[in-house]
Amino acid sequence: MSQNIFGDIGLKPNKESVAKSTAADTDKRNPFTPVQLGVIALTCLLGLLWILNDPATKISGGKVNVFAFLGENGNSIAILTALILFVGLLLYRFTQYSEITKEKLMAVTFFAFLSVAFWAIFEQSPNSLTIFANDYTNRILEGNWSVVFLVVNSLITILPLAIITWVLYLLFKQTFKNYAVANVILSASFVIVWAIAIWMLAKDYYTAGYLSLSDSTLELLKIEKVTKPLTEVPATWFSTLNSLFIISLAPLFSKWWESKYNPSANYKYGIGMGLLALGMACVAFGANGILPGAKTASVSMIWLILVYLFHTMAELCISPVGLSYVSKLVPARMIAFMFGVWYLAVAIGMKGAGMFGENIDKIADEHGLSYFFWMLTIISISVALFSVLMTPIIKKLMHGVR
């Protein structure tokens, strides 16, 4: 309802714009052949079927399995076939471009490969780190620490919402006349967000004993009645630290990238993976005292806070930087395709994160929880060193692009 606010940006190309971009781009063309389009269709079909079939097979105990005809490991065979076909097609197409374009695409693919490792470890937040927070972390706060948490949690909830609401108000003043319906819908969504935020804070202050609510109010708000004041940090609360640290640290990293000390692409990835390793080392060190097979523990929350601090710094070194290099290195006509390749790498990393998380209980029972996090630390350090060692080669492939 408000797409016209951006003018022509993002609209489907017309004949005039296509002709203009074609005239400006003199690079060698490499159109998709019918066979290549067929390979892409097959990889998409296998990938989509695997996305649905893999969890369905596990949930049903093997009763639902589209790839049963491939044997016991049918799901793995299907997705590996899709990946091999796609990567093979990608590598073949590289050979059909001009030398400079081919080398720039190879550089982008290298960074995509590093991103697989990054996201596989970074995305432990919603699985293994949340399990660690829920089962192995002391989240009970008393006395002054209870008050500190409630105040801090209130600030990081209310202040960002207040700032965004003020920005939206300024936006509404300029756009309401032409986009009234869109503004009303957007306003309604933020009213809902404010209601959820106020409900959450009311629940926290009530359970901590700093707010009195009648039984009818508790029933209306769907808040359980408590007889003993208690401040317990929710296990999922720690994941919100990522957003807080991004807002706080992004300006500092931006200034760093603008300064004369701005490192090269490979060093940024190396620094990011090193910070990722440092975060995992923190939680591994904190879990040192947890014996193999232990189901509960009472580790200090400081280790999780440090994890999210270092991991957010790692994300600032890698995520926006990688996306930037896709747009800088790839010819304009190929950006959509290469962004697809980039997000395929991200998806593979996410799946890797899930596979790591699936094995946390098995590893923790055999070797201890600390062993699992030290394993991820070593992988991060290895990828960081590999990125730094490849600097001369990738710098040559980038042909002066910084």
Side-chain angles (χ1 to χ4, degrees):
M1 294 181 179
S2 58
Q3 63 178 334
N4 292 333
I5 200 171
F6 297 109
D8 296 334
I9 297 173
L11 296 182
K12 182 180 180 180
N14 53 37
K15 291 183 178 180
E16 183 181 346
S17 64
V18 170
K20 186 183 295 184
S21 62
T22 302
D25 187 357
T26 58
D27 195 21
K28 179 183 176 182
R29 291 295 190 271
N30 184 21
F32 288 98
T33 65
V35 173
Q36 292 174 358
L37 292 174
V39 171
I40 292 174
L42 178 59
T43 58
C44 290
L45 178 62
L46 288 173
L48 290 171
L49 286 174
W50 174 77
I51 287 172
L52 298 172
N53 189 65
D54 186 51
T57 302
K58 293 175 181 176
I59 293 170
S60 66
K63 294 179 180 178
V64 178
N65 188 358
V66 175
F67 300 119
F69 66 94
L70 294 175
E72 185 179 349
N73 298 314
N75 280 306
S76 298
I77 293 172
I79 193 60
L80 285 174
T81 301
L83 286 173
I84 290 170
L85 287 172
F86 187 85
V87 172
L89 175 62
L90 190 67
L91 294 176
Y92 171 75
R93 287 184 61 81
F94 282 177
T95 65
Q96 306 302 302
Y97 293 108
S98 64
E99 191 68 20
I100 293 178
T101 299
K102 176 179 69 176
E103 291 182 351
K104 287 183 176 180
L105 292 175
M106 290 171 64
V108 171
T109 305
F110 172 79
F111 293 128
F113 168 75
L114 297 184
S115 295
V116 171
F118 171 76
W119 290 110
I121 297 173
F122 179 84
E123 287 298 329
Q124 293 307 304
S125 172
N127 47 57
S128 62
L129 289 178
T130 300
I131 292 172
F132 182 82
N134 188 67
D135 298 338
Y136 302 99
T137 303
N138 180 15
R139 295 176 287 110
I140 304 298
L141 297 175
E142 299 176 345
N144 292 334
W145 286 113
S146 171
V147 177
V148 169
F149 169 74
L150 292 172
V151 171
V152 170
N153 191 43
S154 300
L155 290 174
I156 65 177
T157 302
I158 298 297
L159 284 181
L161 274 178
I163 294 170
I164 295 173
T165 302
W166 173 250
V167 172
L168 287 176
Y169 169 72
L170 297 178
L171 178 67
F172 292 165
K173 287 175 64 177
Q174 297 184 40
T175 62
F176 193 86
K177 182 178 179 181
N178 296 322
Y179 306 101
V181 177
N183 281 324
V184 168
I185 294 173
L186 187 58
S187 301
S189 70
F190 264 82
V191 169
I192 294 171
V193 173
W194 270 106
I196 294 171
I198 293 171
W199 173 85
M200 179 197 73
L201 294 175
K203 178 175 177 291
D204 288 347
Y205 279 91
Y206 166 73
T207 55
Y210 296 103
L211 179 66
S212 297
L213 297 174
S214 64
D215 291 345
S216 58
T217 303
L218 291 174
E219 185 177 354
L220 176 66
L221 297 177
K222 303 299 181 183
I223 298 175
E224 293 184 10
K225 186 174 183 179
V226 297
T227 56
K228 183 179 179 181
L230 178 68
T231 300
E232 183 177 14
V233 181
T236 54
W237 179 85
F238 295 95
S239 61
T240 65
L241 293 174
N242 176 248
S243 302
L244 175 65
F245 289 141
I246 280 182
I247 294 171
S248 305
L249 298 174
L252 299 178
F253 277 79
S254 178
K255 287 295 182 182
W256 183 10
W257 301 157
E258 293 171 0
S259 73
K260 63 179 181 180
Y261 301 107
N262 181 23
S264 67
N266 287 70
Y267 276 97
K268 285 177 182 174
Y269 268 80
I271 293 169
M273 294 304 299
L275 289 167
L276 198 67
L278 189 57
M280 279 301 170
C282 286
V283 71
F285 186 80
N288 264 342
I290 302 176
L291 298 175
K295 300 301 180 185
T296 60
S298 189
V299 176
S300 171
M301 289 189 293
I302 189 63
W303 300 113
L304 277 175
I305 294 172
L306 289 174
V307 169
Y308 283 100
L309 172 61
F310 290 125
H311 281 197
T312 302
M313 294 167 68
E315 184 184 11
L316 288 169
C317 287
I318 289 179
S319 182
V321 171
L323 294 172
S324 173
Y325 284 121
V326 174
S327 60
K328 286 181 178 180
L329 291 167
V330 176
R333 70 180 188 278
M334 298 169 58
I335 281 182
F337 177 75
M338 289 308 293
F339 266 117
V341 173
W342 185 268
Y343 281 105
L344 175 64
V346 174
I348 295 171
M350 298 287 186
K351 178 58 179 178
M355 294 175 70
F356 279 135
E358 286 175 5
N359 290 290
I360 184 173
D361 287 336
K362 181 180 178 181
I363 295 173
D365 288 341
E366 293 180 3
H367 305 285
L369 194 61
S370 181
Y371 181 91
F372 174 80
F373 293 118
W374 281 122
M375 181 180 68
L376 298 183
T377 301
I378 293 171
I379 294 173
S380 301
I381 293 174
S382 301
V383 175
L385 293 174
F386 177 65
S387 176
V388 173
L389 290 173
M390 289 292 289
T391 299
I393 297 174
I394 300 302
K395 185 177 181 181
K396 183 180 179 181
L397 294 176
M398 291 173 70
H399 290 275
V401 174
R402 284 187 57 82

